[in-house]
Amino acid sequence: MKFLSARGAGRGDLVITRGHIAFLILRYAFDRAGLNPEFMPYPAAVGSHPGWYDADLFLRDPARLEADAGRIAHQVAEALAQGRRVWLVDDGDTRVDGPLIASLARVAILDEANSAPELRVFSLRAR
């Protein structure tokens, strides 16, 4: 949260979260601070059940993972075209994240200057 806040993250930004902890903690912290960026958790089911994550269950439905990844990539492309900032916060399971990474790679690239890999926070920019 501190890294994103220091970069002025907040209203208007799009925050993609991989895994379960990032969505839960960041959503709560940003809401409390009144910054309210748009969140898109991956897999999407994490958004309906914050704090819950079952990689084995997600892997049973690869079509759902592909659909979630495609929807997020579309939103990322639109957000970047509108000049919005896009962040990827990663605490995911690499077994589950393949479709998301592949979909994002088609529409965005890593903005290394504004990322903090040691914190697993990445800024994305248009391809």
Side-chain angles (χ1 to χ4, degrees), residues 4 16 21 54 60 68 89 93 97 115 124:
L4 290 172
I16 309 304
I21 299 300
D54 186 341
R60 289 184 205 150
D68 289 351
V89 182
D93 184 320
D97 296 338
S115 296
L124 302 179

Side-chain angles (χ1 to χ4, degrees), residues 65-90:
L65 292 175
E66 289 286 344
D68 289 351
R71 187 173 56 259
I72 288 172
H74 177 77
Q75 288 295 113
V76 166
E78 284 187 352
L80 292 171
Q82 296 166 1
R84 296 169 58 198
R85 288 181 298 184
V86 176
W87 304 94
L88 173 65
V89 182
D90 172 26

Side-chain angles (χ1 to χ4, degrees), residues 2-57:
K2 284 184 181 182
F3 177 83
L4 290 172
S5 294
R7 299 284 185 289
R11 194 172 312 279
D13 287 1
L14 175 60
V15 179
I16 309 304
T17 58
R18 291 174 27 187
H20 63 294
I21 299 300
F23 174 72
L24 184 64
I25 292 172
L26 287 176
R27 182 71 187 248
Y28 176 77
F30 272 104
D31 283 352
R32 296 260 320 178
L35 298 173
N36 305 318
E38 178 183 358
F39 280 92
M40 292 196 76
Y42 178 84
V46 174
S48 300
H49 308 283
W52 169 81
Y53 192 91
D54 186 341
D56 293 327
L57 184 62

